Amino acid sequence: MIENRLPIISMFSGPGGMDLGFRQCGFLPMLALDDNRAAVETYNQNDPAKVAVQCDLSKLSGSELVEMVRKASAELVPRGIIGGPPCQSFSSSNRSLKRRDPRSRLGVIFARQINELNREFDLDFVVFENVLGLLTERHTHWFQSIQRELKRAGFNLFVANLDAGEFGVPQRRRRILIVGVNRYKYPWVQFQFPKGGTEPPTVGDVIRDLPPAAFYHRNLKPEDIPYHPNHWTMVPRSPKFKNGMHGNGRSFKRLRWNKPSFTVAYGNREIHIHPAGRRRLTILEAMLLQGFPKRYVLHGSLSDQVTQISNAVPPPLAAAVANAIRQSVYAPVEELQRFLLCWFENNQRPFPWRQTRDPFRILVAEKLLQQTAATGVVVDAFRQIMSRYPNWNALATASRRELKQIVTPLGLTYRAGELIKLARAIVRYHKGNVPQCFQALLALPGVGHYAARATLSFAFDQPFAVIDTNVARFLVRYFGLKYRPSNNPARDRRLQQIADALIPAKRSREFNLAILDVCAANCKARQPECASCPIRTGCALWQSKSESKLHL
């Protein structure tokens, strides 16, 4: 039940290689930021939504970044951040390293901006991509600083170096990836990086069948490049090209039809030589060797295009990481949602306050259920109150003595007075209408966190999770949490974040009620009936019991 398109923010997006891979796996970039004008033009040309914006992220404050995200969409809330800050200063092929290259700080700046964004939007995950040179002794302090900032931002980190060639990209291209998962929302997630292992396609597999390339001349027009706007190259000037050059120097690396490409990273226009040996590759051919689809078009000068394709993240590699995030973070939640909601359709308890979306009836029921199990006694009291006092105006003028007589079988008779105070406050300050704002509900007399959340979920289907002692016990058992809830689970921030992350879009009411009912039926305090539980396959408690039996 997770949204089909999960909104994300892309930082240092370049021409959109990482974004394209994430799109293919059901993520929706709602804002992409880069300081390169040509890269932004490329991104927007290939993205119908045109979400890319040119800006210098190194000069953007956290508050300014938050404001840009809010302006990007009033309806979408980002679930994750992806980005690959410029990596030239960490690259092992960079032979002119400057001691104080300002680009070295971009990774740390990225991590600190993530902290700001997470505080504002409570993100699910973050993905950081860079070159392996970041792991060298010379740059390890930067790598450690990036990780330290991401941990400080609230993420559990998982690190790997992956070869794009093992994910269908026709080149050997190793990259370092950090995936951070929100430690408060998903403390149980042990992220698993995708497994590659396959041999990469060869150069011939992807570019052998292309038509001849066009050569640049002063009056070259788009119609002179009939196959693809980027399928052109410069006229060879070096005499080495005359008879099919065979050198393999830094500036003259010739590809082989039957082998993967060298890493597509062209410094100073040192574009690899076509396997035929008579020209350099076209930008289109380089794009295909990076795993971009043929429909993609790069904009800008030749130098701009070379920079874009060299810095791009291969979309197939990005897609593999995106799919792994789906499987590690979201798939278990989707399975829990699916199984619980399916079970709930045929097993829900038929209480009268569940047969309505009237916030008056629901809030009154929540007051009656405070510190009280849902039994026939509560049902009788609820029906009597609804019969005698059918709305807030009637309840506000109720006789305290009569109301006390109704609630006496429940115990805690002070609830009679609280109900009257609550009714008078709603009539006086809200014109007889239950507010649909969490803080406004909390301001009402006798309404606590649980009742406020329950009302917003059950009456208005807002995405609020409800947590009582039973639900807290369920969360700890199901996810195997090494954590003891506070005395008031409804105000336990750690459990609340976990529970809120489970709520399916537009089905808050059914999901919350389903958890309450499965707790009553199976996940009991003293003797949980795990064998008949509809969601036992994903439950850490059940798995531990099964493993114990195997060892007997």
Side-chain angles (χ1 to χ4, degrees), residues 238 240-241 245 247-254 273 280:
S238 172
K240 292 184 177 182
F241 288 101
M245 57 80 63
N248 199 30
R250 186 180 178 207
S251 297
F252 291 93
K253 284 187 176 181
R254 180 178 175 181
I273 307 303
R280 295 191 186 273

Side-chain angles (χ1 to χ4, degrees), residues 407-480:
V407 301
T408 292
L410 309 182
L412 304 177
T413 55
Y414 62 81
R415 278 180 287 199
E418 285 192 346
L419 280 170
I420 294 173
K421 289 181 181 178
L422 173 61
R424 289 173 178 173
I426 290 177
V427 170
R428 180 176 181 180
Y429 299 112
H430 300 282
K431 299 180 179 180
N433 297 309
V434 174
Q436 299 184 38
C437 169
F438 181 69
Q439 293 302 327
L441 278 168
L442 281 183
L444 294 171
V447 175
H449 282 68
Y450 183 92
R453 284 176 165 271
T455 301
L456 293 173
S457 174
F458 302 155
F460 304 113
D461 213 9
Q462 292 189 27
F464 283 87
V466 297
I467 297 185
D468 60 8
T469 302
N470 297 315
V471 176
R473 182 175 61 248
F474 162 79
L475 293 173
V476 170
R477 287 174 174 175
Y478 189 85
F479 294 114

Side-chain angles (χ1 to χ4, degrees), residues 112-130:
R112 288 174 179 169
Q113 289 171 332
I114 295 299
N115 197 348
E116 294 281 346
L117 291 168
N118 191 40
R119 279 206 296 264
E120 188 69 26
F121 300 110
D122 199 17
L123 303 168
D124 293 344
F125 68 91
V126 58
V127 177
F128 171 90
E129 180 271 348
N130 221 280

Side-chain angles (χ1 to χ4, degrees), residues 367-368 370 385 392 395-408 411-425 444-447:
K367 287 295 299 176
L368 297 178
Q370 285 179 350
I385 291 174
W392 291 117
L395 189 57
T397 58
S399 163
R400 185 185 297 265
R401 178 181 297 177
E402 290 182 358
L403 198 55
K404 186 175 181 180
Q405 289 177 345
I406 295 174
V407 301
T408 292
L412 304 177
T413 55
Y414 62 81
R415 278 180 287 199
E418 285 192 346
L419 280 170
I420 294 173
K421 289 181 181 178
L422 173 61
R424 289 173 178 173
L444 294 171
V447 175

Side-chain angles (χ1 to χ4, degrees), residues 135-153:
L135 301 179
T136 61
E137 184 177 355
R138 181 170 187 170
H139 302 302
T140 187
H141 65 287
W142 289 116
F143 186 55
Q144 292 171 353
S145 296
I146 291 167
Q147 292 185 84
R148 184 167 55 251
E149 291 294 337
L150 289 175
K151 288 178 181 178
R152 187 177 297 164

Side-chain angles (χ1 to χ4, degrees), residues 191-246:
F191 177 74
Q192 298 292 321
F193 278 95
K195 302 294 184 182
T198 60
E199 284 297 314
T202 67
V203 171
D205 291 335
V206 294
I207 70 170
R208 187 190 296 273
D209 295 332
L210 292 179
F215 285 93
Y216 176 80
H217 56 80
R218 181 172 297 178
N219 298 317
L220 185 70
K221 300 177 182 177
E223 53 267 28
D224 298 329
I225 316 173
Y227 182 70
H228 188 282
N230 298 121
H231 194 39
W232 63 275
T233 186
M234 303 299 289
V235 176
R237 294 183 179 180
S238 172
K240 292 184 177 182
F241 288 101
K242 288 185 178 180
N243 298 313
M245 57 80 63
H246 299 287

